[in-house]
Amino acid sequence: MTSSESSRLSRRTLLRTTAAAGAGAAATVMHPGSAAAAPAIPAGHEQPSTAKQDKGPIPSPATYFGTPIGTEGYLAQWSKMVPYFELIGARSDRVRYEEIGKTTRGYPYVLLTISSPKNLANLDKLVANNARLADPRGLSEAEAKQLATKSVPFYYVQAGIHSTEVGNSQAAVEWAYRLATEKSDYIEKILDNLVILLQPCQNPDGLVLVNDYFAATAGTSYARTYPDLYNKYTGHDDNRDWIMLTQVESKYNVSILNKYRPHVFQDSHGAGSSAPRLFTPPYLSPYDPNIDTILVQQTDTVGLAMQRGMTVAGMKGNGWGSEYDYWSPSRQYCVYHGAARILTEAASASNLAYPQVGTKPLGQQTTDINFIEPYDSNTWTLRNIIDWVSQAFYSGLENVAYDTYNWLYNSYRVGLKAVTRTSPYAYVIPAGQRDPQAVQDALEIFHLGAVEISQAQTAFTADGKQYPAGSYIIYLQQPYAGFAKTLLEVQEYPQLLQYPGGPPQRPYDTTAQTLPMLLGFEADLVTTSFTTRTKRLSSVKPPAVTTPSAPPRTGAYAIGPESYGVFRIVAALQKKKIPTFRAAAQFTDGGRTFPAGTFLVPPSSAARELLQAQSRATGIPVFTLRTVPAVAGAQLKQGTRIGLLKPPDNMPSGWLMWTFEQYGVDYSVVSASDYANLADTYDVIIMPEGVSKNSIVNGLNPKNYPADWAWAFGVGTTGWNQLHDFVTGGGTLVSYGSGTSTATSLLGLPLTSALPGGSSSDFYCPGSLLSQEFDTDNPVAWGLPAKNPVWFVSDDAYKLSDTTTYPVEVVAKYPDSGEQLQSGWLIGGESLNGAVNGLSWTVGKGYVVTFGSEIGFRTWNRSEQRVLFNAAYHGPSTKLTAGQFQRLGK
């Protein structure tokens, strides 16, 4: 052992003894401090005051919480954690406490900035240095080297995004205490050389739900794990939102990354009980080619430093290079913004906070190059989790703190490569597209993602194509062009197999994220330079619209169905009880052609006021018709009542909740008590992915959960039959994904799978965009392009085994031949040839729409998702003849 290795070993020993002190009796070393800092606001994260008023000591976690962190059966709760972090910020001159904002449910979203007092006093300058190195336009190499010499890197560590992975947020309590109080050469060197951004919980709402439920059920016979989504809408998908940026917590996280530009982002998670005791990078292949190769290497470096630290400390059972890849940007916004993403995954204990005990040593017991030392105990505890993740955390800090120049200089090199790119040159999003909401949503994502957006002030030509003034340009010679490029381009996922000739190597998440296909807009890649006068956008606003003149008494207002954003307007019309109609066929008026599905609203002062406001807010134009056309149509039912089948912990239904609430849709979750009278409660019931017969019939077991969960208890075969009767009696049912298999079972739909039943070598599609042909004359597909890609993630495609059982129409199908894959990865695409996907049925008196694909996946595929709105509003509508429609139902 070298002297350096000996020194490192002594530091690891110090880590373990100090952690134990934090978990047990009060530490002997206390650090004086003072008053709490003022909360920050999300927009600017203004620095809290550094003035310290209270000179009292900081109590150890064991003293403050009354129980040592990591104690069997104990989880610290957010209501007490937040005041403890505030106290540390008030009393330590090494720590600044900020409340970035409020979460979805109104809890504090917290950030601790931790460093030496000198660095904290100079924080604004250090942040400015980071910004200068990350965007080196106009910065010479000599200047960059000088900045790298005199500045310090930033290390951002985040815990608790997945709330049942309890160990990391508990460990963060000890991290904050140790960094604030320990007076050792080891800690002081780290603080001198780093700024640490500690976010003890990225999902406070979930921590409250899980930890408070765990505490409330102590001493009862109830299950100890919170049974529902631990983020109001997204559940476990809350770290799959870092491309669409829909949730407030995602936006807070991105604002921190954009402001501080950390060099490392440690994302601390938990895994199953049989996983390695701790996983770190390096990852499996592939990595997204839009991630800079320097960051890929730095990721490997930090991950292996963590592995070395655990091995030296005698912590066994750890691995890397398995299961997790470096592909999907929805989980790693940071890597397109200059930070290496360090994912740590700790094996779980039993029932959140109790020991996992086996009859033999736990986990893998064979060695490998990426799993060099099996775990040699049959017991794994919450305390073990905290010790392992803490060791990894401090080893990560060491790796960066002992190599500050290279981390800072490499930040410059990453930025320099980005801003000096020569090809491709830009993406152009043409002005005047069919769906202004799609363009608006994409631009807002890029704006939140710190991507520079320019708008052409004059018409121009690029790569031989003419573009009008007002077109948007994203030049790719900018620091964070990789974020825009990975979202705009077609993904070509590599054909990775577990072994030659074997089954596919499963991606950890999805393989495609092509925004133009998901949202439904055009974006052209331009390979060569061009010239046009542009204006850099400082904000993103809907396109200006012209207020239409009031229609004559024989006319109406008309809104085209081409934008998925139109359903925001429809929901607003529903809420105000303003009559709304849809034309079932194409028509012309005043020289303009309107497609089937166009919305018509009779003239009134209330309609005019609402439509003007909605049009300005969305950029969706409203037109005036001189005469209502004599075509068949439908009148939407006023106050359409939508019921959502939501089993506990069902993420697809959670995402629909978010979508419905953003659009203002009148919906409610179907409760077990509703089944006795479904027809009087709902017009439409949505059956999303993940809803099974078991989740309906059996639900939660009343023996395992208190009466508060009665809404999710099983309804038995009686309730199952009542759902059947709701449909056949005249209700509307819309299903998708595996929900269609459930609808098939419920109603006896004549559907059989078109896919081979063999191994994944025969057919495999783990989250990709596939070709689709829509019948745009069918009410379910009104407003869609005839060829609109669909999202497919381990779903199903069908054959109609009988066309006489129920009247049925094909809404959407896969092409009879040709390339089925549009973006991502697909094996065996020929199995999809001619298969049906979307179908509309008449079942008894009811209206049923089924899709085999996931039309509501994480709110990503919004262009496709409009079929859900079309079906939900069309089913209960009153169908009108041409004469009735021309009189607008009168």
Side-chain angles (χ1 to χ4, degrees), residues 65-77 166-167 170 210-220 224-225 349-356 379-386:
F65 290 94
T67 304
I69 297 296
T71 296
E72 177 182 323
Y74 172 76
L75 293 174
Q77 295 167 265
V166 295
Q170 301 295 295
V210 169
N211 291 20
D212 286 11
Y213 186 84
F214 181 82
T217 54
T220 72
R224 302 298 304 281
T225 302
S350 178
N351 211 7
L352 300 182
Y354 289 91
Q356 181 77 23
T379 303
W380 180 250
T381 67
L382 178 60
R383 184 66 249 173
N384 290 141
I385 295 171
I386 292 171

Side-chain angles (χ1 to χ4, degrees), residues 689 735-741 751 791-798 814 836-839 850-855 864:
E689 161 72 20
S735 69
Y736 64 86
S738 64
T740 287
S741 176
L751 289 176
W791 182 262
F792 195 106
V793 51
S794 301
D795 294 318
D796 210 344
Y798 294 100
Y814 298 92
V836 297
N837 182 24
L839 297 151
T850 61
F851 272 81
S853 64
E854 290 191 38
I855 58 176
E864 175 191 1

Side-chain angles (χ1 to χ4, degrees), residues 637 639-643 668 673-685 722 725-727 729-731:
K637 181 175 181 179
T640 303
R641 302 164 302 170
I642 297 175
S668 59
S673 61
D674 293 338
Y675 279 76
N677 207 10
L678 288 170
D680 289 340
T681 310
Y682 302 108
D683 302 306
V684 183
I685 290 179
Q722 288 166 335
D725 294 345
F726 163 80
V727 178

Side-chain angles (χ1 to χ4, degrees), residues 94-260:
R94 301 173 175 184
V95 180
R96 290 185 180 181
Y97 170 91
E98 292 180 76
E99 181 181 307
I100 302 298
K102 297 297 185 185
T103 65
T104 301
R105 295 181 182 271
Y107 295 105
Y109 186 92
V110 168
L111 178 70
L112 302 180
T113 304
I114 306 172
S115 193
S116 68
K118 177 182 177 182
N119 285 340
L120 291 181
N122 199 35
L123 188 62
D124 289 343
K125 180 63 175 176
L126 298 177
V127 171
N129 290 344
N130 277 0
R132 195 68 191 94
L133 289 167
D135 182 1
R137 288 173 289 192
L139 183 69
S140 70
E141 184 172 7
E143 291 169 328
K145 289 180 176 180
Q146 185 179 22
L147 281 177
T149 301
K150 66 182 183 181
S151 197
V152 300
F154 282 52
Y155 191 110
Y156 181 12
V157 59
Q158 181 182 96
I161 190 166
H162 292 154
S163 307
T164 52
E165 300 165 7
V166 295
N168 295 287
S169 284
Q170 301 295 295
V173 174
E174 293 187 351
W175 301 346
Y177 173 70
R178 183 184 185 194
L179 293 168
T181 63
E182 184 177 311
K183 293 182 178 178
S184 66
D185 291 342
Y186 172 67
I187 290 296
E188 289 181 358
K189 181 172 182 179
I190 287 175
L191 297 179
D192 284 341
N193 289 359
L194 281 182
V195 173
I196 301 163
L197 304 171
L198 171 57
Q199 188 176 71
C201 187
Q202 158 68 6
N203 178 23
D205 292 355
L207 191 148
V208 170
L209 292 171
V210 169
N211 291 20
D212 286 11
Y213 186 84
F214 181 82
T217 54
T220 72
S221 60
Y222 294 131
R224 302 298 304 281
T225 302
Y226 184 75
D228 202 3
L229 297 174
Y230 46 66
N231 178 286
K232 181 177 180 181
Y233 304 114
T234 65
H236 198 81
D237 272 353
D238 54 1
N239 74 327
R240 271 75 167 173
D241 187 44
W242 291 342
I243 54 173
M244 303 306 270
L245 305 177
T246 64
Q247 305 301 300
V248 64
E249 295 85 359
S250 302
K251 293 174 182 177
Y252 289 158
N253 179 51
V254 162
S255 70
I256 293 168
L257 286 160
N258 290 351
K259 175 183 177 179
Y260 292 103

Side-chain angles (χ1 to χ4, degrees), residues 56 108 506 651:
R506 183 182 71 87
M651 289 183 286

